[in-house]
Amino acid sequence: MIYWQLLWSMIQIGLLSIGGGYVAIPLIQEQIVTLHGWLSLTEFTDIITIAEMTPGPIALNAATFVGMRMAGIPGALIATLGCILAPCIIVLLLAKLYYKYRNLNAIQYILSGLRPAVVAMIASAGVSIVMLAFFTKGVLPHTLHDVRFLSIGIFALGLFALKRWKVSPLLVMGGSGLIGLVVYLVIGVGGY
Amino acid sequence: MKQHQRMMGELFLSTLKISAFTFGGGYVIVPLMRKRFVEELNWIDEQEMLDLISVSQSAPGPLAVNAALMVGYRMAGIPGALLAVLGTALPPLLIISVLSFFYRQFRDNAYVSAVMGGMQAGVAAVISNVVLDLGNGVLKSKNLLSIAVMAGVFVAVYFFRVNIFWVILLCALLGLVGGMFRARGTKAAGPKEEEE
């Protein structure tokens, strides 16, 4: 019974979250906290924090967490499956259409309008991430106290390594984490 | 056959690795996908990658899963798509399942927090790098419509938080109308040059 409820809830979340992870958060909250009371609001806030600290899509992280809490490993599997089921079917159809018709003029025109838009969306996400990394509150600061100089240093080093030495992004991310840890161990500065 | 097997293995491991490193939101997948599938494996080119992201964006669901599915489908049809989705879903499933037992300790641990703080700056560098490259590409195309779309969408999404669904709809329409307009223009002007 709980499996079916879980599956159905997750299918709804997967189906309705159009436009990125942050659209999914209120949907997940609605299903899991408000509608079913599976988690308290505090637990839910915890999940979002954990989801941001761990890799992978927020919706999948939250689904796995709820599934695990509700019904152990089968619950986690069912929740993950539910979350990606509807999107996968839709994207599969779109993929078929894209590869079948992408050479049509009309589709080429549409895609030529979407490409710069996608670049702008990535840029928007990028600016938000940079602001969060540079300033404690994620917005332009009023005092130097809110500026994270360590993060700015790591950022500059990382960007230089990517541009000049064509280093792998995975290496930059791993290396940055290591620098964060070492700096904390040596002088006790840093943190998320 | 052997080559096909190797390709499937590559697909699975690549999506697994990319998913294990998508910290900080769906778009972080873009620089990782670009490095692996465009630059290292040469499976798709940059234009096609942007197309895959556009299509993934137009559907519901996590961007990382959708984009992986598109790449998998492109390389090996439906089996490839399923394999890529499995590779993407597995890391969060494993990590969160394990963490769910002691997530409070994890969240409040100072060492974890120090690593996360550093990593956040690294993620910022990785996404900035890809934004600079892609943005430069649009500017260099000297296509005024593209540049205007890029600037307009940035303002709409970053400052006004417009829902991406509407942005995609409008830009698809703009692209279609703009393209048809240009096509008619070149036809009327006679067969001169193809590119702008």
Side-chain angles (χ1 to χ4, degrees):
Chain A
M1 187 56 199
I2 183 75
Y3 293 141
W4 286 113
Q5 280 184 346
L6 208 53
L7 187 67
W8 178 231
S9 274
M10 292 304 158
I11 288 177
Q12 289 177 63
I13 291 172
L15 198 56
L16 295 175
S17 56
I18 304 177
Y22 293 94
V23 178
I25 291 176
L27 288 168
I28 303 171
Q29 184 177 353
E30 162 85 19
Q31 284 288 331
I32 287 164
V33 182
T34 317
L35 220 59
H36 294 286
W38 284 334
L39 295 178
S40 71
L41 195 59
T42 324
E43 283 175 309
F44 180 75
T45 320
D46 284 346
I47 300 188
I48 300 303
T49 315
I50 297 292
E52 279 170 352
M53 292 174 78
T54 49
I58 281 193
L60 278 193
N61 288 341
T64 306
F65 191 95
V66 174
M68 198 74 190
R69 294 301 291 279
M70 300 307 301
I73 293 170
L77 286 173
I78 285 173
T80 299
L81 182 70
C83 201
I84 58 177
L85 195 62
C88 281
I89 294 170
I90 294 170
V91 176
L92 208 54
L93 288 174
L94 289 176
K96 264 189 188 314
L97 290 175
Y98 169 73
Y99 282 111
K100 194 163 179 198
Y101 295 114
R102 70 167 160 162
N103 292 324
L104 289 182
N105 278 340
I107 300 296
Q108 273 307 316
Y109 298 152
I110 289 176
L111 289 170
S112 73
L114 289 180
R115 279 182 210 126
V118 167
V119 173
M121 290 177 208
I122 302 167
S124 165
V127 173
S128 300
I129 292 174
V130 168
M131 297 292 276
L132 269 175
F134 282 13
F135 311 117
T136 40
K137 297 190 181 76
V139 289
L140 282 177
H142 295 295
T143 61
L144 278 182
H145 185 71
D146 285 334
V147 181
R148 293 165 144 167
F149 292 103
L150 172 64
S151 293
I152 296 178
I154 295 175
F155 173 86
L157 188 67
L159 197 57
F160 183 80
L162 287 163
K163 281 250 172 288
R164 181 59 60 86
W165 301 316
K166 306 278 172 212
V167 171
S168 153
L170 302 187
L171 196 70
V172 169
M173 284 152 92
S176 306
L178 196 66
I179 295 176
L181 183 65
V182 169
V183 169
Y184 178 76
L185 288 173
V186 175
I187 54 172
V189 174
Y192 191 40
Chain B
M1 196 61 210
K2 220 173 193 146
Q3 209 175 357
H4 181 74
Q5 260 176 13
R6 191 192 294 155
M7 192 271 288
M8 292 294 260
E10 200 82 80
L11 179 66
F12 179 71
L13 287 180
S14 300
T15 49
L16 193 78
K17 210 158 83 179
I18 289 175
S19 175
F21 272 89
T22 3
F23 287 91
Y27 287 108
V28 177
I29 199 189
V30 176
L32 306 184
M33 263 180 73
R34 177 171 182 247
K35 182 77 183 176
R36 189 73 190 135
F37 296 128
V38 179
E39 286 176 13
E40 289 174 0
L41 292 172
N42 274 314
W43 283 357
I44 51 176
D45 63 26
E46 193 142 291
Q47 297 267 309
E48 192 173 347
M49 185 192 71
L50 287 178
D51 291 350
L52 299 190
I53 302 290
S54 307
V55 176
S56 305
Q57 279 283 25
S58 340
L63 179 67
V65 175
N66 295 357
L69 189 150
M70 292 284 295
V71 174
Y73 182 80
R74 156 80 154 86
M75 297 311 295
I78 291 179
L82 293 178
L83 196 66
V85 168
L86 185 68
T88 305
L90 224 43
L93 188 64
L94 291 176
I95 293 169
I96 296 291
S97 292
V98 172
L99 273 184
S100 69
F101 294 110
F102 53 92
Y103 70 98
R104 287 231 165 82
Q105 288 91 313
F106 176 81
R107 187 195 55 191
D108 299 333
N109 185 293
Y111 301 117
V112 172
S113 162
V115 172
M116 294 311 301
M119 209 130 149
Q120 192 182 39
V123 171
V126 166
I127 198 152
S128 298
N129 182 46
V130 84
V131 166
L132 291 175
D133 283 356
L134 295 176
N136 240 330
V138 174
L139 291 181
K140 271 195 197 134
S141 75
K142 299 222 168 86
N143 182 329
L144 278 181
L145 182 66
S146 293
I147 296 171
V149 165
M150 185 168 75
V153 171
F154 181 81
V155 171
V157 175
Y158 185 74
F159 290 105
F160 296 104
R161 304 278 156 201
V162 176
N163 190 309
I164 282 169
F165 182 76
W166 300 114
V167 173
I168 286 180
L169 210 63
L170 185 68
C171 291
L173 209 66
L174 263 176
L176 187 62
V177 173
M180 277 160 48
F181 199 71
R182 253 176 294 150
R184 184 181 287 177
T186 37
K187 232 181 248 164
K192 257 198 317 211
E193 55 210 327
E194 286 284 282
E195 58 195 332
E196 350 237 304

